[in-house]
Amino acid sequence: TISLISRYFGLKKYASVGKILKSSIDLITIIGFSISIITFIFARNIVGILGANSPELMGFGTDYIQMLAFGIGPNLIGWIISYGFQGIGDFKTPMVAMLAGTFANLILDPILIFGLGPIPSMGVSGAGLATALSQILVFVFLFAKFFNRNSLFSKKMKTDISKHFAFSLNPI
């Protein structure tokens, strides 16, 4: 994705950049949410394959992976959007997003693992949920920046990137 975006951006073929990004996001959305569902359903099997050999480890691992599964789809979409920014030479926006996600995870982990005020202690499940929420935060930040008309992406593309995306329930 990065190399194609860079190539077409350099050639000033902005419509092609939009099509590449849309195709990449469409594909990774299908793949990402499919992986999320499969991971959630087969979490116990995955933990077993990874070598958990006691019922306690199986329980903790299954809980963690099931919570983590909620962040897989948004995380993968966020990667594609990051690649879009990087492909046009904007490395700062993805870096800021990833740092925000890291700090969110650092803050959410102890709160969700041990509990705080009205938030109950969730243990290992809380660690998985904190990571998933942090991944979703990164996605939301990148998505908002990506479709913002005043973003560096739109300015460099010399167009509103949302014009290249037609969100519709009709696939044709």
Side-chain angles (χ1 to χ4, degrees):
T1 298
I2 293 175
S3 63
L4 288 173
I5 290 170
S6 296
R7 184 175 304 142
Y8 286 103
F9 181 76
L11 293 170
K12 298 185 183 345
K13 294 185 176 183
Y14 303 127
S16 294
V17 172
K19 288 177 186 176
I20 292 164
L21 281 168
K22 181 170 182 347
S23 296
S24 297
I25 290 171
D26 288 348
L27 182 62
I28 206 67
T29 299
I30 293 165
I31 292 169
F33 286 101
S34 297
I35 291 171
S36 290
I37 292 166
I38 291 167
T39 300
F40 185 84
I41 292 169
F42 295 104
R44 189 165 190 77
N45 301 76
I46 293 168
V47 173
I49 291 168
L50 293 174
N53 52 10
S54 74
E56 186 178 44
L57 283 177
M58 288 293 282
F60 287 144
T62 301
D63 292 346
Y64 179 79
I65 288 178
Q66 283 182 328
M67 288 294 174
L68 199 60
F70 290 109
I72 293 172
N75 188 35
L76 293 177
I77 298 167
W79 284 357
I80 297 298
I81 296 173
S82 289
Y83 297 155
F85 280 109
Q86 293 168 18
I88 65 162
D90 179 3
F91 296 91
K92 184 179 176 184
T93 300
M95 181 184 67
V96 168
M98 296 303 165
L99 283 171
T102 300
F103 285 119
N105 199 28
L106 286 170
I107 292 166
L108 289 173
D109 263 334
I111 293 171
L112 295 177
I113 292 170
F114 302 112
L116 179 67
I119 300 169
S121 170
M122 296 177 68
V124 175
S125 294
L129 182 59
T131 301
L133 291 173
S134 299
Q135 291 170 338
I136 292 167
L137 172 78
V138 169
F139 161 73
V140 168
F141 176 85
L142 288 169
F143 189 83
K145 283 287 201 178
F146 184 68
F147 285 106
N148 181 342
R149 286 187 194 104
N150 297 321
S151 75
L152 184 57
F153 200 96
S154 289
K155 287 177 184 174
K156 282 192 169 195
M157 290 272 293
K158 297 178 177 71
T159 182
D160 179 359
I161 190 65
S162 64
K163 291 179 182 176
H164 299 286
F165 287 77
F167 294 106
S168 168
L169 294 177
N170 184 359
I172 297 177

